[in-house]
DNA sequence: CGATGGTGCTGAACCGGTTAAGCAAGTGGG
DNA sequence: CCCACTTGCTTAACCGGTTCAGCACCATCG
């Protein structure tokens, strides 16, 4: 019960294996009648092309793309962003015969090594890069190895790679103006790590928006997206004498943590403290009070990234593209400041 | 700047490509001196074995294992179980040169199709099966195609496949006895779908434990692990005239949803209602009151599953193995019932 | 009627590895 | 000194596809 090969089909059909290949790939060179006969036999035998054999032939693709996620296990489990993104990629790839290779690492260097290995061993046809950093070594690695790439982030600082980027400032402006209108004059932001480019973009947008909206005092604290960090920093912020009256978090997990701390300290949300999460998952709607959040369609980011990468892999020239930055979804965690 | 092949190395070293292959694989047949020379050249050229070429050779492995997760995108994003499991797999595979192919589907049939395709196209050396169902078509599919497999679940109803299984009844007994001791006589369980075998196991264990502990009334409602279902069912349960005084959830997301509903209805946790989650993620510790949960080391499940599968793939005979079922971690969401 | 061109197929090379078989030279034993 | 054995290497086949060159056959056209 060996798996059938095109040689088996050729024998059964009484033709050469070259003809079988032409027939199966829908290319000219065989008569319609022969083609039908070959296809029928292939179907009967339950034939499917060997992916390694295809890849080995002239210029063949392996039919897989790669994604490396650089987050510790306990964050990844609760951080909705990545699984949504992965779901979007999968949704796009389904039925196209392209598979997703996923690597989870806890170290940035391992990530670069993964790209190098994938390229050298011909394991993927292309990769998607997320979480762009300042001084990011991954771009050099993929350029050197000519690995087709699509970046989620940019467009600055990523060389000439095609990317999907968002305007972080529009939602940030929306958030700050909204909080300003609710009477908040002291807003703290619990952000992601400084070395992520999008963190910096948001920080600048945060400052600009505050000036624009006439909010007196804003400042940013950097964290690592974990619940623990969210708890720790929120506790420190809320126990200051001049504590902020509104908190903006860079992900939803830290926001949930922050909500817990407010509860613990007896600070009422939203009458004494407003909370905004960036990235909305069902989580935000489940906790009480439900969290106001910046809603982004992360699944569609994944779809779009996969679609672009497939094009790049097949040799098409692809334009970078701006995607919807998301918008504010007000819920119960924000409200008028009652001092 | 083509990627170097063993022929390039052979030319540079002045030997045949056969010798290069022997040298690079650490097999006898070349002198120590020649081996060193070849290895040095391979290193200089930045050579790495072509994965497709290796796989194509006699009995070669492709160096990848597959995992299919059958959950809709919005659940997957917040359901910590799978990402923890995946992290564990990755942790085990790191450095072994084996990659993980991930497929996310929203349909059980697509899952079976994925296994078939992977086997037929030689895309993976083996697969891990999770979420065992009653009448599960996947086992026939993998057996027929001789795809090496490790199952998370079982050991009943999965044929002769090696598996990792847990004793669901031990933690369940712990939970029910604990709640009984706190004075609860009416306990409802918001479970996963009925068609999952482990759901049924827990249901039986739940009933047995209740009898054992002398808890008068217990019943199980089936849900689909989503926050929405958790919300809906909890709302229905808590608005009954004889509402339960304790709720046990089959995952943490539904438990968080349940906590929100209790809050909404003004039912105090834990003085009027105790809540237990099954599976602990940082989430349980972040909400207030923090959720009592059955803690399982899901990451280690992933590690162990990957380790077993790698052995199976390499032809070793592998024994099924019982793994730690987890234990109760009491937190603030459970307490004495004050009626 | 011969040159031309298209159709439908075959044969063989090729992709980049692995591996069995063969062979020359050196070594040791009887 | 001959034989057997080991060492270190080469040669060639093979894995399962793709693709190019070539060839026989037939129809068409000037």
């Amino acid at each position: 019960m060996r798996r059938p090969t095109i040689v088996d089909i050729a024998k059964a059909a009484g033709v050469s294996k070259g003809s079988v290949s032409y027939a199966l790939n829908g290319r000219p060179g065989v008569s319609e009648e022969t083609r039908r006969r070959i296809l029928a036999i292939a179907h009967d035998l339950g034939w499917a092309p060997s992916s390694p054999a295809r890849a080995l032939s002239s210029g063949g693709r392996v039919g897989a793309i790669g994604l490396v996620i650089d987050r510790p296990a306990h964050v990844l489990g609760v951080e909705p962003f990545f699984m949504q993104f992965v779901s979007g990629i999968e949704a796009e790839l389904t039925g196209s015969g392209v598979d997703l290779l996923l690597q989870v690492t806890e170290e940035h260097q391992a990530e670069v090594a993964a790209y190098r290995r994938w390229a050298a061993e011909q394991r993927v046809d292309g990769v998607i890069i997320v979480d762009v950093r300042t001084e990011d070594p991954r771009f050099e690695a993929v350029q050197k190895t000519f690995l087709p790439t699509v970046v989620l982030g940019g467009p600055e600082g990523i060389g000439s790679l095609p990317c999907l980027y968002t305007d972080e400032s529009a939602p940030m402006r929306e958030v700050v103006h909204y909080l300003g209108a609710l009477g908040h004059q002291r807003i703290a932001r619990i952000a992601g790590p400084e070395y992520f480019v999008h963190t910096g973009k948001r920080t600048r947008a945060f400052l600009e928006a505050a000036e624009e909206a006439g909010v007196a005092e804003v400042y940013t604290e950097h964290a690592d997206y974990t619940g623990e960090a969210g708890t720790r920093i929120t506790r420190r912020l809320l126990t200051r004498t001049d504590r902020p009256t509104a908190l903006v978090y860079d992900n939803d997990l830290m926001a949930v943590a922050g909500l817990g701390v407010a509860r613990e300290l007896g600070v009422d949300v939203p009458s004494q403290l407003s909370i905004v999460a960036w990235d909305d998952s069902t989580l935000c709607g489940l906790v009480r009070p439900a969290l106001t959040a910046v809603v982004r369609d992360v699944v569609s980011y994944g779809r779009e990234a996969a679609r672009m990468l497939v094009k790049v892999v097949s040799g098409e020239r692809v334009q970078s593209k701006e995607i919807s930055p998301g918008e504010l979804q007000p819920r119960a965690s924000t409200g008028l400041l009652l001092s």
Side-chain angles (χ1 to χ4, degrees), chain A:
Chain A
M1 271 292 292
R2 236 180 56 265
R3 47 181 300 286
T5 71
I6 55 167
V7 175
D8 300 320
I9 300 177
K11 275 184 194 148
V15 295
S16 72
K17 69 173 191 166
S19 298
V20 174
S21 178
Y22 289 133
L24 292 170
N25 290 301
R27 310 188 50 195
V30 272
S31 68
E32 259 324 299
E33 199 215 313
T34 312
R35 184 188 305 278
R36 264 199 304 276
R37 202 170 77 243
I38 289 174
L39 287 175
I41 294 172
H43 182 261
D44 287 350
L45 294 178
W47 177 87
S50 156
S51 163
R54 273 227 163 119
L56 196 53
S57 293
S58 26
R61 310 267 140 73
V62 297
I65 63 173
L67 174 69
V68 181
I69 299 179
D70 186 20
R71 287 279 197 289
H74 65 282
V75 185
L76 202 53
V78 260
E79 170 97 88
F81 183 91
F82 287 110
M83 278 317 258
Q84 310 234 70
F85 189 65
V86 168
S87 291
I89 295 174
E90 293 280 4
E92 182 64 28
L93 296 182
T94 293
S96 72
V98 177
D99 281 310
L100 177 69
L101 246 72
L102 184 72
Q103 175 132 351
V104 177
T105 82
E106 308 213 352
E107 211 207 329
H108 194 50
Q109 279 310 315
E111 191 177 341
V112 181
Y115 290 121
R116 290 228 176 79
R117 188 173 66 83
W118 281 347
E121 298 182 357
Q122 289 188 282
R123 284 182 173 268
V124 297
D125 297 322
V127 293
I128 296 176
I129 289 185
V130 295
D131 278 340
V132 176
R133 302 181 176 216
T134 52
E135 310 283 313
D136 199 313
R138 291 174 295 175
F139 300 114
E140 202 200 323
V142 297
Q143 306 251 37
K144 257 193 184 160
T145 53
F146 302 102
L147 194 58
T149 303
V150 166
V151 180
L152 184 69
E156 308 86 6
I158 61 168
S160 57
L161 295 169
C163 69
L164 281 172
Y165 61 95
T166 54
D167 171 20
E168 306 278 342
S169 72
M172 186 57 94
R173 190 177 302 127
E174 203 179 344
V175 167
V176 174
H177 279 258
Y178 171 65
L179 291 173
L182 292 172
H184 296 278
Q185 284 295 313
R186 195 151 52 229
I187 308 176
R189 172 163 161 266
I190 294 84
E194 246 175 315
Y195 48 73
F196 287 145
V197 169
H198 64 265
T199 303
K201 282 192 191 173
R202 288 190 198 169
T203 302
R204 280 187 297 281
F206 184 47
L207 294 173
E208 281 167 28
E211 186 145 357
E212 213 178 271
V215 172
E217 194 183 343
V218 296
Y219 48 93
T220 296
E221 300 272 340
H222 292 282
D224 61 1
Y225 296 129
T226 62
E228 292 76 26
T231 300
R232 188 167 21 85
I233 294 177
T234 306
R235 198 176 279 134
R236 200 174 67 224
L237 289 171
L238 293 185
T239 51
R240 288 164 63 148
T241 49
D242 55 346
R243 71 165 192 240
T245 64
L247 299 175
V248 179
Y249 292 84
D250 259 14
N251 73 343
D252 42 10
L253 187 61
M254 294 195 294
V256 171
L259 186 61
V261 172
R263 191 112 203 264
E264 162 195 320
L265 295 174
V267 177
D268 185 70
V269 177
S271 73
Q272 298 179 291
L273 178 73
S274 281
I275 290 182
V276 177
W278 197 295
D279 269 346
D280 184 46
S281 62
T282 41
L283 204 51
C284 294
L286 294 179
V287 295
R288 293 303 134 98
L291 291 174
T292 293
V294 173
V295 181
R296 298 190 293 171
D297 186 359
V298 178
V299 174
S300 83
Y301 293 1
R303 293 192 85 110
E304 190 59 40
R307 193 175 311 147
M308 278 177 75
L309 183 54
V310 167
K311 280 187 188 166
V312 175
V313 166
S314 70
E316 261 182 73
R317 205 159 196 72
V318 169
Q319 291 293 325
S320 289
K321 197 167 167 182
E322 180 166 358
I323 45 178
S324 147
E327 52 185 28
L328 189 67
Q329 169 74 255
R331 296 204 187 87
S333 70
T334 44
L336 279 173
L337 178 64
L338 309 178
S339 49

